[in-house]
Amino acid sequence: ISRNKHCQRVYAFAVDMLEAVKKVKMPQGASPLQVRIGIHSGPAYAGVVGVKCPRYCFFGDTVNTASRMESSGYPMCVHVSQQSKDRLVAVDWADCGSSEIKGKGRMTTFFAKLGPWEDALKARQTSRASLSVDAASVSELDPPTPSSAEGLRSRSLSEHHHLSPNLF
């Protein structure tokens, strides 16, 4: 198998997945099936893990970043990092701008201009505007005193402890 053009192959697979999902017949009254797709390019590692129940696993920061692209994406859209966009020069991209990606910091990301990409950009802009208002509101608040900060921390920990048994 050729190792060239891996990013182009992954992107072509993503486009095919979007088309295949549209053909899935859902039960009467059910919402249509939708997927989010995230792509990032970089080094990764793969191998069989386990003895009793071996499974093939894919590891590395690249895999984690692709997962973040998916989770911060939009239904029926392909969301990619700058590294993948640079390898996919023939694709028409919409710049999402810079945003905070959990565990990665600020990243510039892009939506492929297919599917509901315009809705995705509008949703992202609305979300950013809302975050800006929230940040401005928070910056106007007085800083917490040590006793009020401790009260918040204690309450937060006790609420978490209270909730955790229900989560498992």
Side-chain angles (χ1 to χ4, degrees):
I1 295 175
S2 171
R3 292 185 180 164
N4 296 328
K5 300 183 179 184
H6 71 278
C7 198
Q8 289 83 351
R9 290 179 181 190
V10 169
Y11 179 76
F13 180 64
V15 172
D16 289 347
M17 283 189 346
L18 290 174
E19 289 304 312
V21 164
K22 292 176 188 174
K23 297 175 185 172
V24 173
K25 301 278 189 228
M26 298 300 290
Q28 187 71 19
S31 298
L33 184 63
Q34 297 185 322
V35 295
R36 293 184 311 228
I37 299 173
I39 303 174
H40 178 66
S41 298
Y45 309 92
V48 176
V49 176
V51 176
K52 186 177 179 181
C53 183
R55 23 186 206 285
Y56 186 77
C57 295
F58 206 37
F59 304 95
D61 188 57
T62 299
V63 177
N64 296 335
T65 304
S67 175
R68 296 298 185 203
M69 293 297 98
E70 176 273 324
S71 63
S72 63
Y74 192 82
M76 301 304 287
C77 287
V78 178
H79 188 211
V80 304
S81 64
Q82 179 76 53
Q83 291 85 338
S84 292
K85 179 207 176 255
D86 291 346
R87 288 172 171 81
L88 294 165
V89 294
V91 178
D92 196 13
W93 297 105
D95 189 336
C96 297
S98 177
S99 58
E100 189 69 25
I101 304 294
K102 184 179 174 183
K104 303 301 301 171
R106 295 206 70 76
M107 290 181 71
T108 301
T109 63
F110 304 84
F111 284 119
K113 289 187 177 180
L114 49 93
W117 68 271
E118 290 168 312
D119 294 339
L121 279 181
K122 287 176 191 168
R124 193 168 271 263
Q125 290 165 350
T126 302
S127 173
R128 275 201 201 119
S130 154
L131 289 174
S132 297
V133 169
D134 291 346
S137 300
V138 169
S139 68
E140 293 171 5
L141 297 175
D142 292 330
T145 63
S147 61
S148 67
E150 182 58 35
L152 288 174
R153 188 173 89 61
S154 298
R155 185 176 55 194
S156 173
L157 290 174
S158 65
E159 288 170 358
H160 176 70
H161 177 71
H162 174 72
L163 293 175
S164 59
N166 297 330
L167 296 175
F168 299 105

